Amino acid sequence: MTASNDSAAQGTSNTVATTGSTGSSRPVAQVSVLLYSDDITTRDAVRAAVGRRPARDVEVVRWHECATADAVISAVDNDRFDILILDGEAAKVGGLGLARQLKNEIFRCPPIIVLTGRPQDSWLAAWSQADLAVPHPLDPIALTSAVATLARPGVPTA
């Protein structure tokens, strides 16, 4: 994995657009999300829970799904994402170890949400340097809240 200074591949510069469809001029953060899990059911559950609009001021404009850690590393090295969601329960390479690796090796790594096996695993999420953690079973409210929090401009990340 390379530590690149390429702004197109790094950083968390969410696109903010003004929408007229809701009748307001409230800025909407448009985000791209990378989702990693070896389990397609988990990926489907995350996408369904987050939806297109996790909050009134946040819109997911692009999902990029990865089933292997190598695919995640390649995608993060070669593309720009605003948020990474990594499954800590993924086989072979779990999302917690992958989160730590990305935070240590990627210049301006995007904010990371890890999906932990249970609420008691919050210490593992802290070790992984993830910005937020959501435990299984996935709670749609907790997941949308995490995505919306990290998508908003000016939110400090780890």
Side-chain angles (χ1 to χ4, degrees):
M1 184 178 317
T2 61
S4 169
N5 288 332
D6 180 13
S7 64
Q10 307 305 320
T12 57
S13 57
N14 300 348
T15 303
V16 178
T18 303
T19 63
S21 61
T22 60
S24 71
S25 60
R26 169 181 285 171
V28 175
Q30 296 180 324
V31 296
S32 62
V33 179
L34 180 141
L35 173 58
Y36 164 64
S37 179
D38 65 328
D39 183 355
I40 192 167
T41 307
T42 300
R43 294 194 309 265
D44 288 345
V46 169
R47 278 187 297 99
V50 173
R52 192 175 142 252
R53 281 278 181 138
R56 296 184 88 180
D57 60 338
V58 177
E59 178 182 18
V60 177
V61 293
R62 180 173 66 114
W63 287 95
H64 181 88
E65 296 185 34
C66 297
T68 67
D70 289 339
V72 172
I73 293 167
S74 177
V76 173
D77 272 344
N78 296 307
D79 203 351
R80 187 190 68 77
F81 299 98
D82 298 304
I83 298 172
L84 310 179
I85 301 175
L86 308 177
D87 184 4
E89 299 298 300
K92 292 192 180 181
V93 179
L96 296 162
L98 185 56
R100 186 173 175 94
Q101 179 181 352
L102 293 170
K103 285 290 188 173
N104 287 322
E105 295 181 5
I106 298 292
F107 180 68
R108 292 188 188 152
C109 183
I112 297 176
I113 299 169
V114 291
L115 308 176
T116 60
R118 56 199 179 129
Q120 297 85 347
D121 291 338
S122 61
W123 70 273
L124 282 169
W127 169 85
S128 76
Q129 301 174 10
D131 297 276
L132 294 173
V134 176
H136 283 283
L138 296 177
D139 175 5
I141 294 172
L143 197 51
T144 56
S145 175
V147 170
T149 297
L150 294 181
R152 292 184 177 114
V155 174
T157 60

